[in-house]
Amino acid sequence: MLTLHDYLPSQNGWKARVLFGLLDIPYQTRLVSIFEGEGRTDAFLDLNPAGGIPVLELEDGRTIAESNAILTYVAEGTRFLPADRYLHAKVMQWLFFEQYHIEPVIGTLRFWTLTGRLELNAVMAEAKRSAGLRALAALERGLKNTPFLVGGEFSIADIAVYAYAHKAADCGFDLAEYPALTAWFDRVLDVIGPGYPVHLYSEDPHSAI
């Protein structure tokens, strides 16, 4: 069986959980105690040299790290990753966008806000907030004339971008200013359903947060 090395409060891990659920793929979970330093152990670094989660461990022991790489691997040959060369590239465009403009910006601001680290990172936070506004504006433009990000059909691009973008209000972004984006949030939620909760950092049994 596939094994997902995961950390429940991570929205990167959430992406993989959603896709496994939508495709009805069985897997087992191994929770990683990130704040206890497990990601820096030799055993875990053998799975992912960068030390981050999620990591997908295949049945034969090979591993795939980085959430969007996992999405691409799992979605290959399914309705969530187009076979058409152009549409496939457009999915990749949004996956790269998410990892450059959303996760390290909105994801980081959200983490700092929810764990009381915002003041400690005040100088960097200002630049990230400006970058976050640009990212949300780009999504608003990209969603004005399409129900989903690529080709009018739900794909792993929507899962990836939605993961952190839909929680932007947690770190102070006013989502009411983005009607196309918030309408897309509703459409994505309609597809994935309510069975994939967002876990708070305070729920981590290994952390003092």
Side-chain angles (χ1 to χ4, degrees), residues 59-101:
E59 294 91 337
D60 61 7
R62 292 179 297 167
T63 59
I64 302 168
E66 301 298 333
S67 58
N68 291 349
I70 293 170
L71 293 184
T72 302
Y73 176 84
V74 174
E76 187 72 35
T78 76
R79 64 190 184 277
F80 299 124
L81 182 59
D84 176 85
R85 185 179 180 185
Y86 173 77
L87 295 178
H88 189 284
K90 292 297 287 185
V91 168
M92 300 308 295
Q93 171 190 313
W94 285 110
L95 295 184
F96 296 146
F97 173 89
E98 189 271 339
Q99 282 293 283
Y100 190 83
H101 296 285

Side-chain angles (χ1 to χ4, degrees), residues 5-50:
H5 298 262
D6 200 357
Y7 171 69
L8 290 181
S10 169
Q11 289 301 96
N12 284 324
W14 179 93
K15 300 173 194 175
R17 289 171 235 145
V18 168
L19 184 59
F20 280 130
L22 293 178
L23 291 173
D24 198 25
I25 295 175
Y27 70 100
Q28 60 186 354
T29 299
R30 184 183 178 284
L31 296 180
V32 180
S33 52
I34 294 294
F35 286 99
E36 293 294 312
E38 186 177 353
R40 297 189 296 275
T41 63
D42 289 342
F44 192 79
L45 292 172
D46 284 342
L47 302 176
N48 176 13

Side-chain angles (χ1 to χ4, degrees), residues 139-141 143-146 178-185 187:
L139 285 171
E140 179 71 11
R141 291 190 294 270
L143 288 161
K144 275 190 175 179
N145 298 306
T146 182
Y178 308 97
L181 178 60
T182 53
W184 171 75
F185 289 159
R187 289 191 292 273

